[in-house]
Structure formats: structure tokens, C-alpha cells
């Protein structure tokens, strides 16, 4: 991957939340390791899908990239600049290139603001800080253009969120994210709260916008079918760590990590004969608590293929060929052959 094509590079990212106890004089008694040291990159014009079970750290990762959470450690390099070390002014400038679409189209829109005001808000904020030169007439024109681009009539710009359906509200959220002409969109489960028929419309809209505006996406979802539809590459996350990264087609055709194999075995296949004959992999046990520091494979407790080395060390995410990276000793450790 050429450095000049890298839009985003995340290195050794960690986000640990303190566990406190006591009344007024709170003391730290532990840590929740929501994200525990991950690396990934996104190229210009690329969609990276981030998938995993609920609670694995997907949304926290997106919020750390956007600096809504200041990471415990690690680097978030956007267009060559590490934004974890920037001040408020520099971070505000960086966010012009990076915007978020939130999961809940009901909660992410201010009910007291009209659709037009919601879309115009980023423009107004940057104008008030002297970072954007734009007139009132140009803002109105921008609002109307964006509404038409996302499939809403500009005549609706004076309506309030409660006057729109769920899919229309999410379109308003998409329009707001596009207002500053960003290069990277962080889409945090943008279709999971929508009906299935509306999901496909929003996914097609995001795909069309990517091609038209040369956008890049970090697309978060727990639905593997959705991830397959929209992503160029897929990163599989478990317990705050990335288990596997691969091209979308290669991942679904030839998954390598036992966790990825188990996830894909749960995806329904629209062929009754194949669906009846295939074997579903049921993982035993519950997802371990993220409040403990781990010195072995994060998936060791539930892995059906674990062996001795898995209990002794944390496997690194390494390139095993064909553009696939996997954190599993089965695929890059010779001891597996002797187990």
C-alpha cells in the first residue's frame, strides 16, 4: 500500500475506561479495555468494514478516530498528521476531512432544529470560527443541494425531525456529514436501526456517494451481509482486538481465523438445500470480561482449535499472503503443525 494513498492510519490504538468505586472520593479499581491495541489503514476511496459481536469495541474505535474519546495511547494519523497530539484548533481543522454518521437517526438529530438548520450547523460552526468563508445565500444553496443529493426534497428543509421517517432522518444525518466536503466518513452502524427495505436504500446511497465524491468509509456493522455488500476490505474485531483483515471477497470465500469462521457460519444462505446441509459452529462459553489484562490469545477461551502456544502469548496480526492478515498461531506459527 503506497503511503501517498493512505488517508487514515491507526497504530497501536488503545482506549481504556477507568472503573471507579466509592462515593465523592472515587478511586480507580480497574480498567475496561474497550480497545486494546489495534492497527489498520484506509486508503483514499476505500471502504473498510469493521465487524464483530456487540461490545467488542467497534463504536469506541470510531469515536477514538474522531477524537470524541481521547485514546489512552496510540496514533491516529489522518492525511499524514497524528491528530491525537493536536490542540483544539488543529483538531477542528482536521475534522473538516472526517465526519460521522451515527447509529440512531432518532437520537442523533436535535428535535428543536429544522432539517435545514441541522445540515447547516457544521457550516455555521466553521464560519463563526473564521475557518470557512461562506455567505448566508451559499449556505441555503448548499443545504438544498445536499438534500437533493441524499434523496430528500429541498422543500422539506423547514420541517422538524419528528416529521420524517427513520430512513429520511438518516438521510439528513448523511447530508450533515457531507456538508464540509470530508474525505473520510465514520459510519457507526448507520443502518442497524432501520427496516430491511430501508437499509438497502441507505447502503446504495452511501455507495453512490462514495463513487461520486471519492469518499472513504470506516463502516461499522454487526451484520456480515451488510459488510459484504459495501466493503472493499473487512476487519474482524473481538474483545478489543482485530483478529483478521482481508479483502471482502477473500474473507467470505476463505476465512482463516476460527472466530471469523464461526461468525460466517451463522450467516443465512438463501439456498434451502445448502442451508440444511451446512454445519453451524456454536462457540462455547461467554465473551470474557474486558476488565482483565490478557497475555494469551484473546479468543483462547472459546476457540475450538486452540493449542499450547495460544495460552502462552498474544498472536500478532501478520500478513499470510493473498492480502490477508490474521492474528492466529494456526497460520503463522510452526508449532501448530506439531500440535
Amino acid at each position: 500500500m503506497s503511503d501517498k494513498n493512505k488517508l487514515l492510519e491507526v497504530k497501536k490504538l488503545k482506549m481504556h475506561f477507568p472503573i471507579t468505586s466509592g462515593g465523592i472520593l472515587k478511586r480507580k479499581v480497574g480498567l475496561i479495555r474497550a480497545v486494546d491495541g489495534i492497527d489498520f489503514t484506509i486508503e483514499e476511496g476505500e471502504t473498510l468494514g469493521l465487524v464483530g459481536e456487540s461490545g467488542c469495541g467497534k463504536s469506541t474505535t470510531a469515536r477514538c478516530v474522531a477524537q470524541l474519546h481521547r485514546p489512552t495511547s496510540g496514533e491516529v494519523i489522518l492525511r499524514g498528521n497524528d491528530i491525537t497530539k493536536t490542540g483544539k484548533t488543529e483538531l477542528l481543522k482536521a475534522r473538516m476531512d472526517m465526519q460521522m454518521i451515527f447509529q440512531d437517526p432518532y437520537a442523533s438529530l436535535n428535535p428543536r432544529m429544522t432539517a435545514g438548520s441541522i445540515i447547516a450547523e457544521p457550516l455555521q460552526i466553521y464560519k463563526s470560527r473564521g475557518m470557512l468563508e461562506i455567505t448566508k445565500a451559499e449556505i441555503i444553496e448548499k443545504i438544498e443541494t445536499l438534500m437533493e443529493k441524499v434523496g430528500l426534497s429541498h422543500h422539506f428543509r423547514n420541517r422538524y425531525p419528528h416529521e420524517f421517517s427513520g430512513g429520511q432522518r438518516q438521510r439528513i444525518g448523511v447530508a450533515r456529514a457531507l456538508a464540509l466536503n470530508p474525505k473520510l466518513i465514520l459510519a457507526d452502524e448507520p443502518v442497524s436501526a432501520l427496516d430491511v427495505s430501508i437499509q438497502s436504500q441507505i447502503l446504495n446511497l452511501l455507495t453512490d456517494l462514495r463513487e461520486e465524491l471519492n469518499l472513504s468509509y470506516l463502516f461499522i456493522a454487526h451484520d456480515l451481509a451488510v459488510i459484504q455488500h459495501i466493503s472493499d476490505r473487512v476487519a474482524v474485531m473481538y474483545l478489543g482486538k482485530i483478529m483478521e483483515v482481508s479483502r471482502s471477497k477473500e474473507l467470505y470465500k476463505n476465512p482463516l481465523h476460527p472466530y471469523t469462521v464461526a461468525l460466517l457460519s451463522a450467516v443465512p444462505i438463501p439456498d434451502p438445500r445448502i442451508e440444511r446441509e451446512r454445519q453451524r459452529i456454536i462457540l462455547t462459553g461467554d465473551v470474557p470480561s474486558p476488565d482483565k489484562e490478557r497475555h494469551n490469545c484473546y479468543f483462547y477461551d472459546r476457540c475450538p482449535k486452540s493449542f499450547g502456544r495460544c495460552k502462552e502469548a498474544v498472536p500478532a496480526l501478520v500478513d499470510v499472503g493473498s492480502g490477508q492478515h490474521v492474528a492466529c498461531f494456526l497460520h503463522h506459527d510452526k508449532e501448530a503443525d506439531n500440535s
Side-chain angles (χ1 to χ4, degrees):
M1 185 184 296
S2 172
D3 286 344
K4 68 179 182 180
N5 293 328
K6 284 182 183 176
L7 179 62
L8 178 73
E9 188 172 11
V10 172
K11 296 180 178 180
K12 297 182 170 68
L13 183 68
K14 292 185 178 182
M15 186 67 232
H16 296 171
F17 295 100
I19 303 172
T20 58
S21 179
I24 296 175
L25 300 175
K26 293 185 180 297
R27 60 189 181 90
K28 188 171 77 171
V29 296
L31 291 171
I32 294 295
R33 294 168 168 80
V35 179
D36 207 21
I38 63 172
D39 303 83
F40 63 86
T41 59
I42 300 177
E43 288 189 7
E44 293 182 4
E46 180 187 39
T47 297
L48 176 68
L50 188 58
V51 68
E53 294 173 278
S54 295
C56 70
K58 305 185 299 297
S59 294
T60 302
T61 297
R63 289 176 175 270
C64 287
V65 171
Q67 299 301 289
L68 298 178
H69 295 318
R70 283 292 192 167
T72 303
S73 63
E75 299 174 84
V76 178
I77 303 169
L78 179 68
R79 306 188 80 174
N81 298 315
D82 184 2
I83 61 176
T84 64
K85 297 180 174 64
T86 58
K88 290 184 178 180
T89 301
E90 291 76 15
L91 180 57
L92 198 61
K93 290 179 180 178
R95 282 181 174 154
M96 292 185 76
D97 288 326
M98 173 180 59
Q99 293 289 302
M100 280 195 75
I101 301 171
F102 296 93
Q103 176 179 357
D104 190 347
Y106 300 90
S108 62
L109 303 181
N110 189 331
R112 297 179 180 271
M113 296 173 67
T114 64
S117 298
I118 290 169
I119 296 169
E121 188 175 23
L123 302 170
Q124 299 283 12
I125 290 172
Y126 280 85
K127 180 183 178 182
S128 68
R129 286 166 171 75
M131 297 180 182
L132 186 66
E133 293 184 6
I134 189 169
T135 65
K136 185 176 180 180
E138 289 172 334
I139 289 177
I140 293 174
E141 182 182 358
K142 182 84 170 179
I143 293 168
E144 294 180 349
T145 300
L146 286 171
M147 291 189 74
E148 296 290 346
K149 191 179 291 291
V150 299
L152 294 172
S153 171
H154 68 270
H155 297 295
F156 296 163
R157 67 185 179 89
N158 291 320
R159 293 188 179 184
Y160 289 86
H162 73 270
E163 299 180 83
F164 294 94
S165 67
Q168 289 174 325
R169 293 182 197 186
Q170 197 60 291
R171 290 175 188 270
I172 295 171
V174 173
R176 176 179 58 186
L178 296 176
L180 294 168
N181 301 318
K183 297 295 183 185
L184 175 65
I185 298 291
L186 308 173
D188 184 10
E189 303 208 36
V191 298
S192 64
L194 304 176
D195 292 339
V196 174
S197 59
I198 306 301
Q199 286 185 11
S200 61
Q201 295 177 21
I202 298 299
L203 289 173
N204 290 335
L205 171 65
L206 293 174
T207 301
D208 293 342
L209 289 171
R210 183 184 73 168
E211 295 174 358
E212 180 182 348
L213 303 175
N214 193 33
L215 295 171
S216 299
Y217 293 125
L218 174 61
F219 193 96
I220 295 169
H222 59 266
D223 189 328
L224 285 158
V226 169
I227 288 288
Q228 183 182 24
H229 176 77
I230 199 169
S231 302
D232 299 307
R233 289 188 301 130
V234 181
V236 180
M237 200 167 182
Y238 179 80
L239 206 63
K241 295 285 280 187
I242 290 179
M243 301 285 105
E244 183 170 357
V245 182
S246 177
R247 290 285 172 189
S248 182
K249 290 182 179 179
E250 191 65 29
L251 183 89
Y252 285 82
K253 183 175 70 174
N254 182 34
L256 297 180
H257 198 283
Y259 179 61
T260 310
V261 174
L263 283 182
L264 290 175
S265 76
V267 177
I269 296 175
D271 185 322
R273 183 180 58 81
I274 298 177
E275 184 67 22
R276 282 195 302 267
E277 294 177 356
R278 75 177 182 141
Q279 183 178 2
R280 170 82 186 274
I281 299 174
I282 306 295
L283 297 176
T284 58
D286 297 322
V287 179
S289 173
D291 64 349
K292 295 182 175 62
E293 185 176 5
R294 301 182 69 88
H295 301 286
N296 56 5
C297 175
Y298 282 52
F299 190 54
Y300 174 78
D301 297 329
R302 303 176 74 197
C303 183
K305 295 187 177 180
S306 60
F307 61 102
R309 180 68 190 280
C310 305
K311 192 176 181 179
E312 299 170 357
V314 179
L317 187 70
V318 300
D319 188 346
V320 293
S322 302
Q324 291 181 282
H325 297 73
V326 62
C328 180
F329 290 126
L330 287 170
H331 299 283
H332 57 83
D333 193 290
K334 292 181 179 178
E335 286 187 35
D337 295 332
N338 300 321
S339 63

